[in-house]
Structures are given as structure tokens and as C-alpha cells.
Amino acid sequence: KSELAILDIIYSNDWDRSIYFNFTSINSLSIDLNPYMSQEGLVYKLTPNNNGSGNIEMDLDKSYENLITNVNYTNLSNPDVYFNYEDYEARMINPIKFNINSMINNYLNEGEKNKAIEISTYALEHLYFDHARPSYAEIQLAKLLIAFGNEYESNRLLFRTFEYYYHS
């Protein structure tokens, strides 16, 4: 029934307004809309055109705008603000980190190393704090930092992640 509802929304909308999905909703559908999706940060925009890749393609400009320009991550830097794991870290903070890491990787693949370095520096300053629980996102970013030759920050992230889970 949910697939019929989505198809009815798409048909009835006639591309008059944009249709957006979040990660959970797009991955719970049994129909594959991925070739028609454009990732814009944490949301996925349905487009009328097949991108030809069979995968969701990232709109780098909109993702940058939605994940870097139009946000304020100030509360993450405050160790006195409590974010429980299930509701905030796993469902909100980690997806942001993963999407920024994906954006960095996409900029690298586009040959825009300076933009990728800029975003990784931003991420380190605004999302990766010693008081926060590390996740697989730290390992992803560490791998990307090695590609830039930033072994110091890469090792710092990896060591902090290891220490956290070793002592937990």
C-alpha cells in the first residue's frame, strides 16, 4: 500500500512541486527509485530523469549548502549538552558525519581536492569532538584524511576511536 501511495503522489503531483524523501523512507520502499534520486545533504529529491547510474547521485552544491552553509553545529561542541545514543547520535549526528564524508569523497572523485580538504577541516572543527562517542564515521574520515596527506589528524581520530572502544 505504501508503494501505491507514493506512486499516486508522484502521478498526482505532475512535477509541480519537489518530492523529498529521508533515508529511512527511501530505503523502506520495495520499488527502486534510486536512479531518479538526487541527494541534497540529508534528504533525497525525486527527479523526473533517470541519472543512468542506477544509484543515487549527490548534488554537491545543494549538499554543501544543506550540510555546511545552512547549519549550526554549536551544541555539539559543548560537552555539557547531552545527546543520548539512540535518538541523537545514531539517528542524527552520525548520518550527518556519514553524509559529509560522502560529500568529501565525491569532491575528491570530481578532482576538487581543495574543496574536499576545506570540508574535512570544517568537519573536524564542528563535528568530531573528544567528548563525543566516536563511530565508524571517524574511521571513514581518517581514511579520507590520509588521501590528503593529513596523517596527524587521521591518526588522532583512529587512536581516539580505538581508545574509546577498547576501554568501553
Side-chain angles (χ1 to χ4, degrees), residues 106-117:
N106 276 291
Y107 273 113
L108 274 178
N109 290 339
E110 296 284 324
E112 295 189 44
K113 185 177 179 180
N114 290 337
K115 190 72 166 182
I117 291 170

Side-chain angles (χ1 to χ4, degrees), residues 14 84 117 136 138 152:
D14 198 31
N84 72 33
I117 291 170
Y136 184 70
E138 271 78 354
Y152 172 79

Side-chain angles (χ1 to χ4, degrees), residues 90-108:
R91 293 185 184 169
M92 297 173 81
I93 299 166
N94 285 335
I96 290 168
K97 289 179 178 180
F98 290 132
N99 281 297
I100 287 177
N101 290 346
S102 180
M103 185 171 46
I104 293 166
N105 193 51
N106 276 291
Y107 273 113
L108 274 178

Side-chain angles (χ1 to χ4, degrees), residues 29-165:
L29 292 174
S30 63
I31 53 177
D32 183 16
L33 295 176
N34 290 357
Y36 299 92
M37 290 290 176
S38 173
Q39 183 177 359
E40 297 180 356
L42 293 175
V43 295
Y44 302 86
K45 181 180 180 179
L46 185 64
T47 66
N49 302 317
N50 186 324
N51 64 34
S53 73
N55 299 314
I56 298 172
E57 293 191 349
M58 182 177 269
D59 181 331
L60 291 173
D61 293 333
K62 284 300 268 184
S63 291
Y64 184 90
E65 181 181 333
N66 290 336
L67 292 171
I68 305 295
T69 305
N70 295 337
V71 295
N72 182 342
Y73 298 117
T74 304
N75 280 344
L76 297 178
S77 66
N78 184 347
D80 295 328
V81 175
Y82 174 70
F83 296 102
N84 72 33
Y85 180 75
E86 186 174 321
D87 294 328
Y88 292 99
E89 290 186 39
R91 293 185 184 169
M92 297 173 81
I93 299 166
N94 285 335
I96 290 168
K97 289 179 178 180
F98 290 132
N99 281 297
I100 287 177
N101 290 346
S102 180
M103 185 171 46
I104 293 166
N105 193 51
N106 276 291
Y107 273 113
L108 274 178
N109 290 339
E110 296 284 324
E112 295 189 44
K113 185 177 179 180
N114 290 337
K115 190 72 166 182
I117 291 170
E118 171 201 328
I119 296 166
S120 67
T121 301
Y122 178 90
L124 285 169
E125 292 172 358
H126 293 89
L127 294 167
Y128 294 89
F129 299 102
D130 290 339
H131 62 270
R133 177 192 293 208
S135 71
Y136 184 70
E138 271 78 354
I139 296 169
Q140 281 183 331
L141 183 57
K143 183 179 176 183
L144 291 165
L145 291 169
I146 289 172
F148 308 144
N150 191 343
E151 291 182 23
Y152 172 79
E153 287 295 337
S154 175
N155 288 336
R156 189 182 69 76
L157 283 175
L158 293 173
F159 181 75
R160 189 175 76 78
T161 303
F162 173 79
E163 284 293 310
Y164 178 86
Y165 288 104

